[in-house]
Amino acid sequence: MSTICAVSTPHAVGGISVIRISGEKAIEISGRIFSTTSQTPVEKMEGYTCCYGKIIFEGREIDDGILTVFRAPRSFTGEDVCEISCHGGIFVTNLVLRAIISNGAEPAQAGEFTKRAFLNGKLSLTQAEAVMDVINAQGEQALRVAVSSHEGALYKNIREISLCLVSLLGELAAWVDYPEEDLPDIEYSAFKTSLENSLIKLEALLATYDTGRIIRQGIDTAIVGKPNVGKSTLMNFLLGFERSIVTDIEGTTRDIVEENVKIGDFILRLSDTAGIRSTEDIVESAGVSLSYKKINQADLVIAVFDNARELSTEDLNIVEKIKDKNAICVINKSDLPPLLDKKFLADKFNFVVEISAKDKTGLKEIENALEAIFMLKQLDFSAGIVANERQRKCVKDAHFYLKEALDILSSGETYDAVTVLIDKSAQSLLELTGERVTDNVVSDVFSRFCVGK
Ligand code: GDP
């Protein structure tokens, strides 16, 4: 396999840059461009040691820095790895990279270091995916989930289930070989219980997907309310800067404006929808139907009501429309004298918060409501969570085949048919952890990484 190299720090000016080299010739190539000031030449350096030296290219010194050596298999990729820390200018970093390439290394593809780590058995596929999640984590919870996956929580859980299925397949194979012998009841019922237990574990894992998505990508949030209740003002308040156009003319927010905002430990993907009301205006009514669609898709609805106006039919329609959703009822304009029937709203919603978007009060109450609804702090990530669409599909397939297997087992089908289905279920799990996976899937997973990782 070739020796690869890439800048592993961001492509920007900084204090230092780290350039990583991995492969059989990593140490040899480093020795050619790195002149150490210590007694030990680079080729003789032990793993997990570093030294200071000059970086030489085309006979001249281009920079000085630190070289760290990792010897196979005790490195991130499992190969010999050298990391050169040089000064963090873009020009000098690229020059060092060029020096490495002209001495025989190839530029790494996106995610190639992590891919090699996977291929060399340093990481399972789910752990490799978690590397990316750690990098992309935008909040405490996202990081906690990513770290637990990186430590192999999901991998261990899945592996336990797949080992159980494989041992059940072994039992089945024995039974298939002796079809004339009737099975003792005890064995049959123990077998069925094992299948059922695995099915329950897969169901529990599938249920983690929504939480995982919310933690990683943020809570898909729709702000709804009739015109002029202060939706755009609230959005600007949450964002901390002017984003939507705030006006006194009804129906000015025609399309959906989307922004990410961090409230406490939550990331909300906010969309300020067109005010909901029946309208003759074609452009605006397109906006309104988009709002309804948005409500259906949203993880959370922030329903805004006007403290200074009485409840109208439009308000009641909104209450009706969102009755099955996770919702926070926001009573806005609390700085104005009240005319609103708050008791009615308190009966309809689990979470009612009074704010003034104009005076910027009530943010903490919104955060408290979010904590109560999503309860992320109490979650236990030790069994791992399903973190992306690829993983979800594998767990879903495994679940589907296992359920089929159970169904036909109960209906008295032959063990041959049951075997095929359990085998398919186990295959889906092996695909999930990457133990049996096609090159296409592997390439697809790593193509989403950045170069240098
Ligand atoms: P939208 O149509 O729901 O997006 O409402 P806007 O955000 O455009 O606000 C409508 C009007 O209400 C504007 O004149 C805002 O300045 C005013 N407004 C918004 N929030 C408050 C508030 O908390 N208190 C008061 N007094 N006025 C507000």
Side-chain angles (χ1 to χ4, degrees):
M1 207 178 276
S2 60
T3 297
I4 50 169
C5 65
V7 181
S8 284
T9 38
H11 195 72
V13 177
I16 58 166
S17 290
V18 175
I19 297 149
R20 197 188 245 167
I21 314 166
S22 178
E24 261 173 23
K25 293 194 175 152
I27 295 173
E28 182 191 322
I29 292 171
S30 301
R32 276 191 232 137
I33 63 150
F34 197 88
S35 155
T36 80
T37 50
S38 81
Q39 302 290 336
T40 322
V42 173
E43 291 77 3
K44 293 265 154 57
M45 283 172 68
E46 294 196 13
Y48 298 142
T49 63
C50 61
C51 68
Y52 170 76
K54 312 274 183 213
I55 302 161
I56 313 290
F57 183 36
E58 293 174 339
R60 73 188 169 95
E61 178 188 327
I62 53 171
D63 200 4
D64 58 340
I66 302 288
L67 172 78
T68 312
V69 171
F70 303 82
R71 289 207 177 252
R74 291 154 80 189
S75 72
F76 177 67
T77 58
E79 305 173 326
D80 281 346
V81 170
C82 289
E83 285 180 3
I84 297 178
S85 310
C86 65
H87 286 102
I90 292 175
F91 180 75
V92 67
T93 306
N94 283 339
L95 202 58
V96 176
L97 189 66
R98 224 161 75 207
I100 297 166
I101 292 170
S102 69
N103 275 283
E106 284 174 20
Q109 307 289 315
E112 202 174 353
F113 291 102
T114 317
K115 185 175 178 180
R116 288 188 176 197
F118 164 68
L119 294 175
N120 288 326
K122 303 291 280 186
L123 297 167
S124 69
L125 202 53
T126 48
Q127 283 174 305
E129 285 170 315
V131 169
M132 193 161 52
D133 290 340
V134 170
I135 295 172
N136 292 335
Q138 296 185 49
E140 173 75 25
Q141 303 299 336
L143 186 61
R144 264 180 62 199
V145 172
V147 168
S148 86
S149 295
H150 189 222
E151 285 169 352
L154 179 64
Y155 174 71
K156 282 187 207 126
N157 192 355
I158 290 292
R159 203 161 154 71
E160 227 168 75
I161 304 172
S162 67
L163 284 178
C164 170
L165 295 186
V166 169
S167 92
L168 293 177
L169 282 171
E171 284 179 41
L172 273 172
W175 296 344
V176 169
D177 287 345
Y178 305 100
E180 66 283 357
E181 289 176 30
D182 258 350
L183 277 185
D185 282 349
I186 307 171
E187 282 186 34
Y188 176 82
S189 79
F191 180 82
K192 199 158 168 257
T193 309
S194 295
L195 280 186
E196 282 162 354
N197 286 343
S198 297
L199 197 70
I200 290 168
K201 284 185 191 164
L202 289 176
E203 270 160 18
L205 263 176
L206 274 176
T208 65
Y209 180 70
D210 271 345
T211 316
R213 186 176 54 76
I214 280 172
I215 292 173
R216 241 184 10 267
Q217 300 176 351
I219 301 167
D220 193 348
T221 308
I223 301 184
V224 300
K226 68 183 174 189
N228 269 327
V229 289
K231 296 179 299 297
S232 308
T233 315
L234 171 62
M235 182 128 167
N236 292 333
F237 166 36
L238 295 177
L239 286 167
F241 63 93
E242 297 282 307
R243 180 63 177 80
S244 307
I245 313 150
V246 181
T247 62
D248 290 329
I249 309 155
E250 292 200 345
T252 41
T253 316
R254 295 295 171 88
D255 46 6
I256 294 183
V257 181
E258 289 192 321
E259 288 287 352
N260 279 357
V261 38
K262 194 152 185 275
I263 301 178
D265 200 31
F266 298 89
I267 294 163
L268 302 194
R269 285 190 289 127
L270 287 181
S271 45
D272 172 13
T273 62
I276 291 177
R277 56 169 193 160
S278 42
T279 172
E280 301 289 303
D281 180 329
I282 293 172
V283 180
E284 201 191 324
S285 71
V288 172
S289 78
L290 215 55
S291 309
Y292 281 132
K293 201 161 152 224
K294 192 74 214 169
I295 292 174
N296 289 332
Q297 292 166 351
D299 302 311
L300 173 74
V301 176
I302 296 184
V304 188
F305 300 90
D306 189 336
N307 182 50
R309 280 189 278 170
E310 284 180 20
L311 282 172
S312 64
T313 327
E314 293 158 286
D315 290 319
L316 300 180
N317 283 343
I318 291 171
V319 172
E320 179 56 27
K321 191 88 203 158
I322 63 177
K323 63 177 189 300
D324 299 324
K325 305 285 302 184
N326 275 331
I328 302 177
C329 164
V330 166
I331 299 177
N332 187 33
K333 309 195 189 181
S334 63
D335 54 296
L336 298 178
L339 275 177
L340 190 71
D341 183 352
K342 291 183 199 167
K343 171 136 191 343
F344 175 82
L345 292 174
D347 286 343
K348 296 284 178 189
F349 290 94
N350 292 330
F351 302 94
V352 180
V353 175
E354 293 194 34
I355 71 160
S356 166
K358 191 173 124 237
D359 294 346
K360 305 193 191 317
T361 62
L363 187 59
K364 186 71 203 162
E365 285 72 16
I366 294 179
E367 187 185 332
N368 292 345
L370 287 172
E371 269 174 18
I373 294 173
F374 293 99
M375 291 191 294
L376 296 185
K377 285 213 162 73
Q378 282 95 307
L379 285 179
D380 173 18
F381 302 124
S382 59
I385 70 159
V386 175
N388 58 38
E389 195 45 48
R390 183 192 78 83
Q391 297 179 356
R392 193 183 74 102
K393 182 167 182 313
C394 293
V395 179
K396 237 182 140 182
D397 288 351
H399 179 269
F400 172 80
Y401 292 124
L402 203 55
K403 182 138 190 343
E404 288 269 287
L406 261 166
D407 287 350
I408 70 164
L409 187 70
S410 309
S411 69
E413 283 273 347
T414 64
Y415 290 135
D416 276 351
V418 181
T419 304
V420 171
L421 288 166
I422 298 181
D423 187 55
K424 280 190 170 178
S425 179
Q427 293 298 331
S428 303
L429 296 180
L430 292 176
E431 181 176 334
L432 171 60
T433 57
E435 285 158 283
R436 207 167 300 166
V437 72
T438 64
D439 290 348
N440 284 347
V441 171
V442 172
S443 304
D444 183 55
V445 166
F446 291 102
S447 67
R448 276 175 261 136
F449 278 59
C450 45
V451 172
K453 190 61 232 172

